[in-house]
Amino acid sequence: MITEENEEIIEAPLNSHAKYIVYYDPLDGSSNIDANVPVGTIFAICKRISPTNTPVTREDYFRDGNELLAAGYCLYASSTILCLALKGMGVNAFTLDPGLGEYILTYQNITI
């Protein structure tokens, strides 16, 4: 995993078996959480280049944005919204239904 919050790459246990690289970062606002300001997380996923069962390399992490397989954000406020873009499949948003404990598709094929 890689984040702006850490200067070093975070290698999870059994990282050499991982097929994907995860990038994430908190959205600004965490210092304002007591003021009821929304906070969130942005993330992206790409497939690693080096073979599994070998050490992950710097080239696995530092990639062109066109190689992303998925990206999105999760916004935590009065409702929790997950917006997900999948390569070749468009952008959809889901809202957490706390009663069901599941995300419900609320916005489909989002475009600008």
Side-chain angles (χ1 to χ4, degrees), residues 24-104:
Y24 70 97
D25 206 48
L27 294 173
D28 290 338
S30 59
S31 61
N32 298 323
I33 200 163
D34 59 338
N36 202 25
V37 176
V39 295
T41 306
I42 56 175
F43 63 89
I45 301 169
C46 70
K47 193 165 176 103
R48 71 183 271 187
I49 298 170
S50 62
T52 55
N53 298 320
T54 64
V56 178
T57 66
R58 183 173 175 84
E59 289 73 29
D60 286 317
Y61 288 105
F62 298 100
R63 311 280 288 285
D64 186 281
N66 291 320
E67 296 180 62
L68 294 178
L69 300 177
Y73 67 89
C74 197
L75 185 63
Y76 318 107
S78 57
S79 63
T80 301
I81 299 172
L82 170 65
C83 187
L84 180 63
L86 298 173
K87 189 170 189 168
M89 298 183 66
V91 181
N92 295 298
F94 304 83
T95 303
L96 178 62
D97 182 328
L100 295 175
E102 297 179 3
Y103 283 90
I104 307 298

